[in-house]
Structure formats: structure tokens, C-alpha cells
């Protein structure tokens, strides 16, 4: 991994995108271990987590995760997922957090040396380029070790470095649980585009 132990770093986690990559690798994440592991790579200024939440459900399996993250040092940004019917008449849920991630990254960049972006979304290529123009290194965390790969080629090429989740998951993965599988069903409903 690039960087120096004195670097001021921040984590920007696109929840649905990271979940999708971890699911493709058939692992669950331990966010405390993830935060601790990346915190050893420099001075962890902030760890952000972004996700859309389906409103109106009696129980939202993603809510316990969001609450846990919020109480354990993560800055959590949520918004209601939007329901719509597509052209084929199928009910869909959309919860794109790209703008929120972009605004927070641009605002915090002047106080950082290195950003870790947990997403494979190609829409972030231009954002990464803008952050790099401010003198901040950007490492993208996703995976290429599944079909289809969970990272857009243009994002991987733009980043200063790329970490494949499959190479580091032993540091912050955990056994699958029933709660995690409930979160999985909820996150599957959100559109990552």
C-alpha cells in the first residue's frame, strides 16, 4: 500500500458498492477491524459510510449496521431510497449516494494526504482526478477477482493505487451471520448506479 504512516487519511465507503464487492467474494466485513487496519496505515482523520435506507419497512436490517457504525466512530450519511416502476413494470429501489460522497471528499481533501475510496463505480473517475489535482493521493478499494469485476477500469486507471479486497479481506472479514444476510437482502434492493 502506498503512503507513509504519518499521512492524514480518510475512508469513504460507498456502502452498497462495498457490500456488492464483499458479496461477490463471499465474505462479510468487520467494520471495527477495517477501521483499525486502515488506521494503522496513517492518522485516520475520518471514516465515512454512505447508504440509502428503505423507508416505511417495519424492520430495516441495515438500520442496526448504520446505528453501530454511528456509535463506533464512523460518520454515517443516509438518505431515503426512492421506489419507482421501471419500463417493464418491475418495482425498483434506487439509492445513489455519489453526490454526498463527492461533496464530502472535496470538502475534506485540503486536510488530507491520502483518501481510500471503497467503491468501484466508474462515475467517481472525475472526482478522483479532481482530488489528485489538490495534491491528495487516492487509493481505490474494490475487487477484480469476480465476474463481472466490481471496479470500472477507468476508475482503477485513474487511482494512484488499487487494493483488491480479496488480498486484504483476511484482516477484516468475519463469518457470515443471519443479521448480515438480512442486511444483504436490503442492500440488494438498492441500485448502485
Amino acid at each position: 500500500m502506498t503512503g507513509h504512516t504519518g499521512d492524514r487519511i480518510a475512508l469513504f465507503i460507498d456502502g452498497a458498492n462495498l457490500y456488492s464487492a464483499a458479496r461477490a467474494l463471499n465474505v462479510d466485513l468487520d467494520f471495527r477491524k477495517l477501521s483499525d487496519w486502515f488506521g494503522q496505515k496513517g492518522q485516520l482523520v475520518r471514516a465515512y459510510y454512505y447508504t440509502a435506507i428503505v423507508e416505511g419497512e417495519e424492520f430495516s436490517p441495515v438500520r442496526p449496521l448504520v446505528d453501530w457504525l454511528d456509535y463506533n466512530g464512523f460518520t454515517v450519511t443516509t438518505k431515503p431510497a426512492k421506489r419507482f416502476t421501471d419500463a417493464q413494470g418491475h418495482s425498483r429501489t434506487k439509492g445513489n449516494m455519489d453526490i454526498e460522497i463527492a461533496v464530502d471528499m472535496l470538502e475534506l481533501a485540503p486536510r488530507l494526504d491520502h483518501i481510500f475510496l471503497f467503491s468501484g463505480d466508474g462515475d467517481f473517475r472525475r472526482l478522483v482526478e479532481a482530488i489528485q489535482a489538490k495534491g491528495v493521493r487516492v487509493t481505490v478499494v474494490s475487487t477484480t477477482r469476480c465476474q463481472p469485476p466490481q471496479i470500472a477500469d477507468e476508475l482503477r486507471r485513474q487511482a494512484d493505487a488499487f487494493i483488491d479486497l480479496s488480498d486484504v479481506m483476511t484482516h477484516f472479514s468475519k463469518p457470515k451471520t443471519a443479521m448480515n444476510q438480512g442486511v444483504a437482502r436490503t442492500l440488494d434492493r438498492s441500485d448502485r448506479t
Side-chain angles (χ1 to χ4, degrees):
M1 182 166 26
T2 62
H4 309 285
T5 55
D7 281 355
R8 297 165 299 164
I9 66 172
L11 312 179
F12 289 85
I13 302 171
D14 178 345
N17 201 286
L18 178 60
Y19 163 76
S20 183
R23 180 175 167 206
L25 295 172
N26 199 30
V27 294
D28 283 330
L29 300 173
D30 182 322
F31 284 95
R32 182 181 309 278
K33 288 180 182 177
L34 182 144
S35 177
D36 290 346
W37 193 76
F38 278 93
Q40 294 171 4
K41 310 304 174 200
Q43 176 191 350
L44 184 58
V45 174
R46 187 92 59 234
Y48 291 93
Y49 184 89
Y50 303 84
T51 191
I53 295 180
V54 177
E55 296 289 327
E57 290 187 345
E58 189 172 314
F59 174 74
S60 170
V62 79
R63 180 62 67 187
L65 172 63
V66 167
D67 289 343
W68 185 92
L69 291 169
D70 199 29
Y71 281 110
N72 286 279
F74 285 78
T75 301
V76 178
T77 301
T78 64
K79 72 178 180 185
K82 299 192 185 319
R83 294 183 188 269
F84 67 97
T85 304
D86 66 14
Q88 291 78 30
H90 298 104
S91 179
R92 301 280 186 208
T93 305
K94 184 175 177 99
N96 190 317
M97 301 296 291
D98 292 3
I99 295 299
E100 291 80 359
I101 293 170
V103 168
D104 288 346
M105 280 180 72
L106 288 166
E107 284 183 347
L108 195 58
R111 296 184 291 282
L112 298 172
D113 301 303
H114 197 156
I115 287 175
F116 292 87
L117 173 62
F118 291 75
S119 183
D121 189 338
D123 291 344
F124 288 126
R125 191 215 59 82
R126 179 65 182 101
L127 171 62
V128 169
E129 183 179 42
I131 296 294
Q132 291 167 326
K134 295 178 179 296
V136 179
R137 287 183 313 283
V138 179
T139 296
V140 172
V141 183
S142 188
T143 188
T144 60
R145 302 217 176 106
C146 60
Q147 286 301 323
Q150 295 293 306
I151 183 165
D153 188 54
E154 62 271 19
L155 178 62
R156 185 174 177 197
R157 289 174 186 267
Q158 184 65 51
D160 293 296
F162 171 70
I163 297 175
D164 199 299
L165 275 175
S166 64
D167 293 336
V168 295
M169 284 308 295
T170 57
H171 299 287
F172 45 83
S173 63
K174 63 181 178 180
K176 288 188 175 281
T177 65
M179 185 183 101
N180 295 345
Q181 291 169 358
V183 169
R185 286 188 294 279
T186 299
L187 290 175
D188 279 342
R189 294 184 210 150
S190 68
D191 182 6
R192 294 183 319 274
T193 59

